[in-house]
Amino acid sequence: RLFRKDAVVAENASWLFRATPYLVFAALWTAAALVPTFTTAIAFGTAADLIALVALLGSARFFTALAGMDVGTSFGGIGSSREMMIASLAEPAMLAVIFTLSLFAHTTSLAGIAEHIVGAERIGLEVSLAFALLALIMVAVAETGRLPIDNPATHLELTMVHEAMVLEYSGRHLALIEAAGMLKLLLYVSLIGCVFAPWGMAVPGDSIGSYAGALGLYGAKIVAAGILLPVFETSIAKMRVFRYPEFLGAALLLGLLATIFLYVSEAI
């Protein structure tokens, strides 16, 4: 529907404002292609690295924030400043989770981490992985603009974060931004399923039936996430902006505790 509408662009908008939707969509599409879904045999297996994933997500955020300030509206400036505040707290927490996973699987490759967990003879209750999972979920909530950090359905000045940055977009530009947001949510759901619940994923050499079963199981994971997310959002209220550091600070603390606990347990 949005692709059929004309894109209305402000007179003082630069080329960056027009190019950002395409750059953001391309970056998030590439990042999503790095995450194994139902099989570890992916086309970008050699490049499927957690560091590259964070870099692509950071690039998309950077261009979105610049585009929000490009037109010079107060809404865009507010949204960009809040987005950068969230990013400054969410990225360290994400890196702490990456350190934990790299210490656990001895690699930063997503396919390698999934294969390590799937191929392990026995993985008990790992406190460090539980902390890393909680930290990653909290980061995903903040990065995708969901409650309690942001409300994607609101257009109120006092609560907008992501929507404030893209308020000036319309037509095909807004369609690409909305598609990129949906893709980002799917990326984080797939990332959590790939890293912390990879059981059932097909590995190279499996039969066609195994791939079909793994695809069905991946669909079940997406459905489960689609049920749990609205249940969570309807049971919690929107958080005040000044409490964002407390929420993301807790995510960073959990990520650091996960790294420390895993390092100490392996040293013992």
Side-chain angles (χ1 to χ4, degrees):
R1 183 185 61 180
L2 289 173
F3 273 115
R4 292 196 297 266
K5 296 183 179 181
D6 294 332
V8 180
V9 181
E11 294 181 356
N12 60 332
S14 68
W15 63 269
L16 181 65
F17 183 84
R18 297 176 175 86
T20 291
Y22 303 96
L23 294 174
V24 170
F25 183 78
L28 288 176
W29 184 272
T30 305
L34 299 181
V35 181
T37 53
F38 63 93
T39 177
T40 58
I42 58 176
F44 297 101
T46 56
D49 188 88
L50 280 168
I51 305 298
L53 183 69
V54 173
L56 288 169
L57 293 174
S59 300
R61 184 190 307 109
F62 172 74
F63 282 108
T64 305
L66 285 182
M69 297 185 295
D70 184 70
V71 181
T73 62
S74 57
F75 286 105
I78 290 173
S80 297
S81 63
R82 291 175 178 175
E83 180 71 13
M84 290 298 101
M85 178 191 69
I86 293 173
S88 65
L89 298 169
E91 285 189 356
M94 185 68 177
L95 290 175
V97 173
I98 292 174
F99 294 152
T100 303
L101 296 174
S102 61
L103 284 173
F104 179 73
H106 305 288
T107 179
T108 56
S109 170
L110 285 169
I113 294 172
E115 289 178 354
H116 176 79
I117 297 177
V118 171
E121 295 181 359
R122 181 179 179 273
I123 295 181
L125 179 61
E126 293 281 351
V127 177
S128 57
L129 291 184
F131 284 164
L133 173 59
L134 291 175
L136 182 58
I137 291 175
M138 296 171 74
V139 170
V141 168
E143 291 280 7
T144 54
R146 313 300 301 190
L147 290 172
I149 295 296
D150 191 13
N151 186 356
T154 187
H155 285 85
L156 299 176
E157 178 182 356
L158 296 177
T159 60
M160 285 194 300
V161 180
H162 180 267
E163 294 300 317
M165 295 187 294
V166 301
L167 197 60
E168 296 297 320
Y169 281 112
S170 60
R172 63 181 181 276
H173 295 158
L174 182 58
L176 289 171
I177 292 292
E178 294 291 338
M182 299 175 188
L183 197 60
K184 192 174 186 179
L185 180 59
L186 179 63
L187 183 154
Y188 272 101
V189 172
S190 301
L191 179 62
I192 293 172
C194 161
V195 173
F196 295 98
W199 297 280
M201 294 180 65
V203 296
D206 285 349
S207 62
I208 300 298
S210 299
Y211 279 89
L215 181 59
L217 186 58
Y218 172 70
K221 294 177 184 177
I222 298 299
V223 171
I227 295 174
L228 293 175
L229 181 60
V231 170
F232 171 76
E233 290 189 332
T234 53
S235 62
I236 195 168
K238 174 73 170 61
M239 187 180 295
R240 292 186 302 169
V241 175
F242 297 107
R243 293 190 60 190
Y244 292 172
E246 298 177 10
F247 181 85
L248 293 171
L252 176 58
L253 178 61
L254 288 172
L256 292 176
L257 286 175
T259 305
I260 294 171
F261 281 9
L262 183 60
Y263 181 78
V264 171
S265 62
E266 288 193 348
I268 295 175

